[in-house]
Amino acid sequence: MSQFPFDAVVFDLDGTVFDAEEGITSSVACAMDKMGLPVPEKTDLRMVVGPPLRDSFRELLQVPEERIEEAVQNYLEDFLYKGRFRYRVFPGMRQLLHVLKNCGIHVALASSKPQKTCQLILHDFAMDHLFDVIMGEGMGKDKLGKPELIRRALPEKYRRAVMVGDRKFDVEGAKEAGIESIGVSFGCGSVIELETAGADYVVHDADALQKLLCPDAETPRGWFITMEGPDGSGKTTQANLLEKSLVQYGFDVHRTREPGGCPISEEIRRIILSKDNMEMSPVCEALLYAASRAQHVSEVIRPGVEKGRVVFSDRFVDSSVAYQGGGRQLGVKLVQQINAPAVDGMLPEATVYLDIDHQQAIRRRFSASEPDRLELAGDAFHQRVEAAYQELLAQGDQRFIRVDASRDIDSIAKDVLTKVLARLEPEWKQEA
């Protein structure tokens, strides 16, 4: 433990772990509108992020004292149903929390938000398991205050502790609690505010914060996830939605595809899919896919995972097994042999399979845009592709996540995200 400056780190929630600005300000504006009260002219609504909510309504927004509780209730109603879903984890914060936990450092949260709300938000974003202690206020009028929240978040014994926050309230609370403070300039507070309050350090991004808290700590290995399915299964739509959600949840995502993903592989993709090459033999097609994959793994996938990123690929080797092994009838074993040096042991931690009848899928595909060479291969070909996928799933490989893709887009997306999060954060308890 002596290799790291601090053995206990306490984080603020809003403006520090989360970019909460849109979620909070939209709910505050909704509360004011519902009461028929104007937001005072030249008021910067971002300043409600950080201090206790009642103080913001009273001092910043000039709500009459007799209507403060009404304002709070209106805010909470909108926030719990809408505002909290507009939160975003700041880039690098999820990885930092993992690094701290891996280093054995006590990680805690101290927020002026109600305790139950803190727990709800952290669970929504699959992050509650990354904190040893979560401290928030009660729901009543009587408040502990930031200094006491910080004290209660600390372990019974520690060598050196620090509070990380984006506003003066975090810095001042740390001082009163008798610990050091780090101000982060990427939240709602300014560098001037943090320095004036007496922050011991000010950092400008999560990378700088990680170097300060745990210098030379090893970056955890990232993840490789893929998405598979018949042509027309909705892969592009679902891949876009999953990527957007993972970025919102604070994962460092590198989106890629097969065939393609890097310049050499994209050149091979053009050859494979071109309708000018209808005479291409099945073996040539399989070898070209493998060649594209070899470069993709070497140049993109493996380096990305080693840097701690989530490398998310639209299709991978399972597509070759299904399309060339099944669809082109080359056989699963031959296709796997061809691809063994290309894959080079780099199999996904999770593979989402969008499960849908091939005929329904291809009708969707043809109605969306002009089909490519493989999509024009005919019904018997696509039936064999689906059968090959089903055979892969039946083998019981635990990396596969089967999702019913015959439903509406939102239901599919919710299912995909929940199941992928369970793979990326295996310690997260979904039922909490």
Side-chain angles (χ1 to χ4, degrees):
M1 189 69 71
S2 60
Q3 61 178 312
F4 302 115
F6 305 95
D7 61 341
V9 182
V10 183
F11 289 89
D12 178 44
L13 185 73
D14 297 335
T16 304
V17 176
F18 289 93
D19 180 352
E21 181 181 325
E22 182 182 357
I24 293 176
T25 58
S26 63
S27 293
V28 166
C30 177
M32 297 291 286
D33 182 66
K34 192 171 182 179
M35 294 189 298
L37 298 176
V39 174
E41 190 176 352
K42 297 183 179 179
T43 297
D44 184 355
L45 275 182
R46 295 183 307 157
M47 292 300 99
V48 304
V49 183
L53 185 60
R54 287 174 176 81
D55 292 349
S56 293
F57 278 124
R58 181 181 296 110
E59 298 165 13
L60 183 69
L61 297 169
Q62 300 173 24
V63 174
E65 187 65 34
E66 66 272 13
R67 301 194 70 183
I68 294 293
E69 292 308 309
E70 180 188 356
V72 169
Q73 290 307 310
N74 287 337
Y75 167 86
L76 290 175
E77 181 178 335
D78 185 81
F79 182 80
L80 291 174
Y81 286 96
K82 296 179 182 178
R84 78 178 206 259
F85 299 110
R86 297 188 173 109
Y87 271 40
R88 301 178 66 86
V89 180
F90 277 117
M93 290 304 298
R94 181 179 288 271
Q95 178 175 285
L96 170 59
L97 291 169
H98 273 286
V99 170
L100 292 172
K101 293 288 288 182
N102 291 346
C103 292
I105 295 170
H106 177 85
V107 180
L109 182 89
S111 171
S112 297
K113 261 189 166 44
Q115 171 111 5
K116 290 183 178 179
T117 305
C118 293
Q119 292 170 331
L120 181 63
I121 292 169
L122 289 173
H123 182 70
D124 283 344
F125 283 83
M127 296 180 77
D128 44 350
H129 64 289
L130 298 175
F131 292 87
D132 297 299
V133 177
I134 299 171
M135 280 303 306
E137 292 282 12
M139 294 298 290
K141 295 182 182 180
D142 295 331
K143 301 301 178 184
L144 294 171
K146 199 75 174 198
E148 183 60 24
L149 290 168
I150 294 171
R151 291 188 192 100
R152 296 190 183 196
L154 292 168
E156 185 177 343
K157 294 181 180 180
Y158 58 89
R159 172 178 48 82
R160 187 182 177 197
V162 67
M163 173 74 199
V164 182
D166 70 313
R167 297 296 308 276
K168 65 180 181 179
F169 312 101
D170 304 309
V171 175
E172 292 165 353
K175 282 189 175 184
E176 193 170 334
I179 66 172
E180 295 174 66
S181 62
I182 301 173
V184 297
S185 66
F186 50 77
C188 287
S190 66
V191 172
I192 293 175
E193 176 185 334
L194 294 165
E195 290 178 342
T196 301
D200 296 288
Y201 310 89
V202 175
V203 297
H204 305 297
D205 55 42
D207 287 340
L209 183 57
Q210 181 170 323
K211 290 175 183 176
L212 179 58
L213 293 174
C214 38
D216 302 320
E218 183 178 349
T219 298
R221 184 181 185 276
W223 301 266
F224 176 32
I225 60 176
T226 60
M227 185 171 285
E228 298 280 353
D231 291 306
S233 59
K235 255 188 327 77
T236 300
T237 297
Q238 292 302 324
N240 289 342
L241 291 172
L242 179 59
E243 178 189 17
K244 181 180 178 180
S245 292
L246 290 178
V247 170
Q248 181 182 2
Y249 279 52
F251 291 97
D252 181 7
V253 180
H254 179 90
R255 172 83 173 275
T256 187
R257 67 177 183 176
E258 287 210 347
C262 55
I264 292 174
S265 300
E266 287 292 333
E267 282 294 305
I268 298 173
R269 176 188 178 90
R270 183 186 60 78
I271 295 169
I272 292 173
L273 299 182
S274 174
K275 287 186 285 187
D276 294 334
N277 298 323
M278 298 298 287
E279 73 279 7
M280 184 183 297
S281 74
V283 172
C284 176
E285 182 180 278
L287 290 170
L288 284 173
Y289 271 109
S292 171
R293 184 163 296 123
Q295 188 66 24
H296 192 208
V297 168
S298 174
E299 187 175 336
V300 176
I301 297 172
R302 193 181 303 279
V305 172
E306 289 175 351
K307 290 177 182 177
R309 307 188 75 182
V310 174
V311 180
F312 174 30
S313 182
D314 181 345
R315 298 202 182 280
F316 192 56
V317 69
D318 299 304
S319 284
S320 287
V321 172
Y323 279 79
Q324 282 73 57
R328 299 299 190 201
Q329 299 180 289
L330 292 179
V332 168
K333 288 186 178 180
L334 176 59
V335 173
Q336 289 175 332
Q337 289 171 353
I338 289 172
N339 278 275
V343 172
D344 193 22
M346 197 70 202
L347 286 174
E349 278 77 22
T351 297
V352 176
Y353 178 70
L354 299 179
D355 195 2
I356 187 172
D357 175 76
H358 74 279
Q359 291 182 330
Q360 180 183 353
I362 208 67
R363 284 196 297 269
R364 281 186 187 176
R365 179 65 189 87
F366 282 9
S367 65
S369 61
E370 186 177 351
D372 60 35
R373 187 179 67 86
L374 264 71
E375 291 162 347
L376 291 170
D379 182 73
F381 171 84
H382 290 290
Q383 185 176 9
R384 292 193 297 271
V385 168
E386 182 184 1
Y389 270 129
Q390 295 299 332
E391 185 177 341
L392 282 173
L393 292 166
Q395 292 173 3
D397 190 333
Q398 293 303 305
R399 68 183 170 87
F400 281 104
I401 299 171
R402 187 198 293 261
V403 176
D404 179 0
S406 65
R407 299 170 294 166
D408 63 276
I409 290 173
D410 290 342
S411 296
I412 299 168
K414 183 178 180 180
D415 201 6
V416 169
L417 176 61
T418 300
K419 291 178 177 179
V420 168
L421 285 174
R423 299 293 182 91
L424 300 183
E425 296 286 2
E427 295 182 20
W428 174 54
K429 305 298 184 185
Q430 295 185 41
E431 68 278 5

